[in-house]
């Protein structure tokens, strides 16, 4: 009994549990369905899920009522307070479902404690918001005019993103006489338009057709899209060439030049391309003789003269012309052309050269015979009468001879080979026919040379600039002359004019190549010894008798830095550049110890001297002015300073490769009493020395003036009254006068200065503040003042 009761209780429990699970499952799998239109704005109401499912609003937030979202942005959102479903953004059906016919969106809503899942299906209905579009705005088809009616040409579908009835529903073709439209329904792939030919095409009547295909959807109102269809009709050869004239005839004068156009035939073909291209040929029955006389241009239809047409042989020609197209099966048309030949004066004069001289001398007298000419004409009467003459303006003319039809070509003026060495004489003979015929004959006459032109130098006079210290035996410059004659008359030899004026002078050191005119110096020239020289070169041709001319050559020697500076002071008794200077120990800073004097025989930068201390026992005691050479104390002497100091001064010029000399000054520091005693002796010695320097400078200045005056006179004679003014800012020089030393005295305040050294180069300037090569002279008015 108990076991049976337990089994009954167990079966009742299982049934109750099954009933509870069934109820729960039914609640968890409840499903809702809503329908909305696309393009709803964000936040639009969709439905009340809580109300439709019967969910108590008081427990929705506690049980976390929500929509289970995926990885993509959700389209909908639910309010957990009231259970209302809203759109979370604007919905585009074509974006969500693309090409699906029915657009369904499935959502899952969930409640916790206990877990409940409810399915919500949303159908998004379509709006007609897109128009049909074709892949191309314009479609081009090629259809042969031989295509038969019923030929089909498939076109591309129009595309409409909308679905259902809003998609493409039908196509419409613009009205025309040749084509109609068929629609092929391809199910899911839509409807395909097909163009079908109804009536044969004729390219000659109309070469192209323009149709408009319109696609329409099923919206209300419907939207449309169009495409233009351009149909090009391809040609077939269905027309034959047709000549534009019924008869063709022409008149041709005999002896017409080869290439003369006689007549042009023309035929047209209504076809296109190669089917409409016409070519012209002679008919198959045209004889070979006619083909030798005439030819026809296959493209233009021009009949042209190919050979010699003579009226005496045949006075007319009947020629068959054939016109054909270039079709695969060509069509041909024949036409006859009649050519009549017109008689003319067809025998021109004949010119023959009986005798011709190979050359005529340029010194021949007028009337000299150059050639004999025979002129004849095979015609008779007026057509055989000849008028002959020499064409163009030339120094030749035609004169009749004793014999009939013989003429002589003679000179009528003086000839000059240098102006023209060859003449092409054209002889013209013309008969008296109608029209007159003319013949020409050209003979060439060469003019032989005589020695009537002397050599001419390319430059006169020549001016050369030669750097001193040139290597002996090297070519330094050259002269060139030319002769307008030819052959031996133009063969030139050169030599230097050596007469009493130039004998024993510089020309003895020059040599010239007799063939090339290259001049070689046999010695080196020294600018300090010679500034310029002049000589003459003679050019002689090899004619008989020979002719010659000469040219003056001016050579200016240019300075090089080849002279080292020379120390003028200090100089010891044995000639070395050494000196002893005594100064008191109590002198202050800036005291003038002595001044190093030097000069350079070069000019310009090569003679511009700079002074520097090469060696000194104490750099803190003495300083040297690099421009004046003055040595001064830099500070006062102390008890610890040595009594004797040795200064080695380097004097160098400013040449590209500078040259230098050194001077040694021994400075002895003495007590003031000893300095006064030695000062009197030294002053007297310095006065004598300065007087000697002044005397030498006066002698040098006088020599410079004399040489300068001579140079001016020579320069004026060379330039033939041409003068050149060379100026500088402070000095005015015409040329370098060649002295070893040059001096100019000038005053600044209460001091007198003397510029010692070579003259500046032409065009150079003295820079203000520069004291190169400057001696400071004591003013005789203040002999007690130390400068």
């Amino acid at each position: 009994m108990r076991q049976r009761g337990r089994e009954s209780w167990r079966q009742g429990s299982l049934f109750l549990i099954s009933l509870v699970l069934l109820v729960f499952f039914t609640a968890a799998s409840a499903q809702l369905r809503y329908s909305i239109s696309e393009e709803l704005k964000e936040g639009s109401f969709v439905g009340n899920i809580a109300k439709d499912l019967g969910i108590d609003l008081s427990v929705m937030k506690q049980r976390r009522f929500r929509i289970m979202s995926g990885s993509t942005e959700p389209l909908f959102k639910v309010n957990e307070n009231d259970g209302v479903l809203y759109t979370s953004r604007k919905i585009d059906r074509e974006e969500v479902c693309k090409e699906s016919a029915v657009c369904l969106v499935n959502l899952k809503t969930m409640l916790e404690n206990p877990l409940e899942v409810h399915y919500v299906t949303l159908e998004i209905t379509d709006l007609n918001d897109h128009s049909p579009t074709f892949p191309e705005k314009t479609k081009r088809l090629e259809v042969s005019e031989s295509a038969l009616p019923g030929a089909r040409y498939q076109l591309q579908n129009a595309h409409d993103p909308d679905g259902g009835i809003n998609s493409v529903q039908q196509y419409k073709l613009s009205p025309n006489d040749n084509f109609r439209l068929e629609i092929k329904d391809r199910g899911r792939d839509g409807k395909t338009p097909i163009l079908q030919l109804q009536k044969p095409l004729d390219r000659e009547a109309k070469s192209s057709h323009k149709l408009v295909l319109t696609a329409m959807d099923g919206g209300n109102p419907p939207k449309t899209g169009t495409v233009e269809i351009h149909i090009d009709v391809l040609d077939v050869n269905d027309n034959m060439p047709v000549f534009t004239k019924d008869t063709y005839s022409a008149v041709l004068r005999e002896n017409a030049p080869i290439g003369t156009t006689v007549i042009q035939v023309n035929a047209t073909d209504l076809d296109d391309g190669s089917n409409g291209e016409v070519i012209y040929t002679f008919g198959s029955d045209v004889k070979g003789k006619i083909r030798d006389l005439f030819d026809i241009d296959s493209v233009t239809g021009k009949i042209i003269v190919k050979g010699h047409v003579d009226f005496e042989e045949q006075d007319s020609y009947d020629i068959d012309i054939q016109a054909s197209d270039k079709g695969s099966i060509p069509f041909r048309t024949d036409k006859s052309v009649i050519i009549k030949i017109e008689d003319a004066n067809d025998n021109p004069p004949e010119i023959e050269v009986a005798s011709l001289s190979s050359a005529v001398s340029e010194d021949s007298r007028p009337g000299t015979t150059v050639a004999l000419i025979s002129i004849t004409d095979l015609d008779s009467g007026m057509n055989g009468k000849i008028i002959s003459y020499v064409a163009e303006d030339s120094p030749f003319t035609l004169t009749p001879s004793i014999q009939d039809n013989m003429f002589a070509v003679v000179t009528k003026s003086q000839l000059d080979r240098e102006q023209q060495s060859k003449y092409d004489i054209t002889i013209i003979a013309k008969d008296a026919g109608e029209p007159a015929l003319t013949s020409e004959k050209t003979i060439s006459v060469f003019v032989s040379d005589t020695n009537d032109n002397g050599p001419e130098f390319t430059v006169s006079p020549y001016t050369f600039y030669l750097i001193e210290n040139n290597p002996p035996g090297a070519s330094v410059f050259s002269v060139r002359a030319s002769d307008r004659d030819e052959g031996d008359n133009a063969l030139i030899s050169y030599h230097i004019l050596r007469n009493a004026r130039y004998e024993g002078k510089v020309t003895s050191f020059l040599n010239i190549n007799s063939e090339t005119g290259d001049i070689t110096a046999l010695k080196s020239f020294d600018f300090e010894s010679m500034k310029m020289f002049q000589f003459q070169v003679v050019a002689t041709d090899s004619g008989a008798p020979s002719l010659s001319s000469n040219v003056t050559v001016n050579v200016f020697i240019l300075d090089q830095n080849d002279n080292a500076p020379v120390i003028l002071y200090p100089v010891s008794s044995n000639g070395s550049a050494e000196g002893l200077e005594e100064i008191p120990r109590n002198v202050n800073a800036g005291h003038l110890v002595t001044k190093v004097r030097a000069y350079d025989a070069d000019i310009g930068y090569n003679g511009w001297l700079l002074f520097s201390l090469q060696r000194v026992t104490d750099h803190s005691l003495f300083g040297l002015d690099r421009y004046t050479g003055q040595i001064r104390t830099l500070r006062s002497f102390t008890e610890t300073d040595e009594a004797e100091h040795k200064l080695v001064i380097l004097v160098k010029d400013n040449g590209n490769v500078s040259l230098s000399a050194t001077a040694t000054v021994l400075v002895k520091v003495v007590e003031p009493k000893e300095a006064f005693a030695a000062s009197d002796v030294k002053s007297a010695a310095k006065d004598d020395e300065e007087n000697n320097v002044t005397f030498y400078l006066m002698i040098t200045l006088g020599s410079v003036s004399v040489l300068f005056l001579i140079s001016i006179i020579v320069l004026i004679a060379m330039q033939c009254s041409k003068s050149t003014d060379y100026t500088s800012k402070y000095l005015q020089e015409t040329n370098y006068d060649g002295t070893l030393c040059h001096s100019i005295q000038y005053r600044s305040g209460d001091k007198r200065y003397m510029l010692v050294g070579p003259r500046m180069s032409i065009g150079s300037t003295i820079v203000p503040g520069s004291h190169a090569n400057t001696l400071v002279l004591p003013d005789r008015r203040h002999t007690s003042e130390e400068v």
Side-chain angles (χ1 to χ4, degrees), residues 300-434:
T300 63
K302 290 181 179 180
I303 299 176
I304 58 177
V305 177
K306 181 181 179 183
H308 177 65
V309 180
D310 192 355
F311 175 82
E312 288 73 24
E313 292 183 5
Q314 189 171 340
D315 60 354
S316 66
Y317 297 90
D318 192 347
I319 307 174
D320 291 332
I321 304 299
Q322 188 177 85
S324 61
D325 58 30
K326 294 184 178 181
S328 57
I329 302 177
F331 289 97
R332 297 180 177 86
T333 304
D334 295 326
K335 183 65 66 174
S336 179
V337 177
I338 298 175
I339 300 175
K340 295 181 180 180
I341 307 302
E342 182 182 3
D343 190 24
N345 180 26
D346 58 346
N347 290 293
E350 295 182 359
I351 304 174
E352 294 182 359
V353 179
S355 177
L356 177 64
S357 300
S358 60
V360 58
S361 177
E362 64 176 325
D363 59 354
S364 299
R365 295 181 179 181
T368 301
T369 300
V370 176
L372 292 176
I373 304 297
S374 172
I375 304 176
T376 59
D377 194 319
L378 297 178
D379 294 325
S380 60
M382 292 301 296
N383 293 335
K385 296 297 182 179
I386 300 172
I387 301 173
S388 58
Y389 55 92
V390 174
E392 300 178 353
D393 184 17
S394 69
F396 299 92
T397 187
L398 202 62
T399 60
S401 179
I402 300 175
Q403 298 179 359
D404 292 339
N405 301 325
M406 292 295 294
F407 299 87
V409 180
V410 298
T411 60
K412 67 177 181 179
S413 62
Q414 192 69 39
L415 303 178
D416 188 355
R417 189 206 64 82
E418 286 70 38
Q419 291 185 358
Q420 188 168 348
S421 61
K422 178 186 176 183
Y423 291 91
D424 293 326
I425 306 172
T426 301
I427 301 168
I428 299 176
K430 181 171 64 173
D431 62 24
E434 286 293 338

Side-chain angles (χ1 to χ4, degrees), residues 293-305:
L293 295 178
F294 302 99
D295 195 5
I296 186 169
D297 191 306
S298 62
V299 177
T300 63
K302 290 181 179 180
I303 299 176
I304 58 177
V305 177

